[in-house]
Amino acid sequence: MPTAVSLFTGCGGSDSGLIDAGFDVLMANDITSYAKDLYNANLPETDYVLGDVAGVKAFPKADLLVGCYPCQGFSMGGVRDPNRKINYLYREFDRALRQVRPKAFIVENVAGMTRSGHLHLLRNQLIRFRSAGYRVEHKLLSAIDYGVPQERTRLFFVGIRSDLGQRYQFPEPTHSINLVDGTISCPTIRDAIGDLPLWPEGEYDTQPFHWYYLSRNRWRGWNEQARTVVANSRHVGLHPVSPPLERVHTDEWRFKYDGPARRLSYRETARLQGFKRDLQFPDTAGLKFKYQVVGNAVPPPLFRAVASALPNIW
Ligand SMILES: C[S@@+](CC[C@H](N)C(=O)[O-])C[C@H]1O[C@@H](n2cnc3c(N)ncnc32)[C@H](O)[C@@H]1O
């Protein structure tokens, strides 16, 4: 079984995909304690080190290194300041890469890194990874194309150590759009959450729908795919049981009719990210953290597809 070290591990979206692809995760690291709690409740085999990655001085030897550094600085929905310190955590990944010297690495980040103001950061990363001795490919991938019932586009870098003489090819979509009738052969919101209770008390954010919430269409129907699952519970999309929204003006939406409305629950967002259906949520933190770690995660089926496409270099 090939081995992996995982950095910026979060609650284990990427690692669940890795494990499904046949990897043994030797070590994981993250600074958020609830991310570790959720991970340990579901993937207890991994040695999960809690703390700032900068404090991890030695990493175990492994075949694969994985890292999904934080994305607030690049996120389409977050603060887009290219000078923020958080945008430079890739240097920690680079440090681990040079120490571990794995046969391959995978990095995931938000699509915002391909925006013009951030291109220098994208180039810096490519230069660093190449100078560390890797042949690197990068591509934006859409989670829907790999069977995740959610609109979510993410940037992936995959590198293979140059001495192995191999080049990585990104996987072809497994769930595509039918160009004749426009249908998508991807699971729907109903497939993902249709069996869950309609009003799971205590599992969803009940804050009012303020003007910012109603500045865009947060609703999707049962037979559609969900909007991007976000980490901030206040901004999470509406459950399809809620009345649909209609546009009033630019950046102003309202409910089409009166009726009870609610956000998706944290458990539903995990399903829409493609986590296993019986994911366990320990009660060591409140709603906010449950939504946060799930919204930050890489959809496991997407990460599994990327890891499974690595050539057999083990
Ligand atoms: C995009 S999320 C990772 C998601 C994860 N790969 C998954 O699939 O669940 C980025 C993670 O980086 C972590 N992080 C931020 N700063 C860190 C630091 N200095 N050291 C370690 N982890 C850090 C955050 O807590 C967050 O969980």
Side-chain angles (χ1 to χ4, degrees), residues 5-10 15 25-33 35-37 39-40 46-60:
V5 165
S6 158
L7 303 181
F8 307 100
T9 305
D15 287 19
V25 183
L26 301 178
M27 183 206 144
N29 167 251
D30 201 282
I31 203 168
T32 302
S33 69
K36 177 178 190 287
D37 294 349
Y39 188 109
N40 283 156
T46 306
D47 173 22
Y48 196 121
V49 178
L50 181 66
D52 188 339
V53 64
V56 182
K57 297 302 170 210
F59 304 92

Side-chain angles (χ1 to χ4, degrees), residues 124-192:
N124 284 356
Q125 287 171 77
L126 282 174
I127 290 166
R128 274 176 180 254
F129 298 151
R130 287 177 178 148
S131 79
Y134 289 82
R135 282 190 183 169
V136 188
E137 307 294 330
H138 67 285
K139 191 170 182 182
L140 287 173
L141 297 181
S142 172
I144 279 185
D145 288 344
Y146 301 92
V148 179
Q150 181 200 157
E151 296 163 0
R152 192 179 189 94
T153 302
R154 289 294 184 263
L155 177 67
F156 284 82
F157 294 93
V158 182
I160 299 184
R161 220 171 57 210
S162 306
D163 60 287
L164 297 170
Q166 299 261 7
R167 195 169 274 285
Y168 180 76
Q169 280 195 317
F170 280 94
E172 291 298 324
T174 50
H175 295 70
S176 53
I177 297 178
N178 181 329
L179 294 175
V180 178
D181 63 9
T183 54
I184 302 176
S185 65
C186 180
T188 61
I189 296 179
R190 187 191 306 282
D191 296 327

Side-chain angles (χ1 to χ4, degrees), residues 8-14 29-32 35 51-54 68-71 89 108 293 296-298:
F8 307 100
T9 305
C11 69
S14 39
N29 167 251
D30 201 282
I31 203 168
T32 302
D52 188 339
V53 64
C68 313
Y69 3 101
C71 53
L89 278 170
E108 179 263 10
V293 298
N296 273 336
V298 186

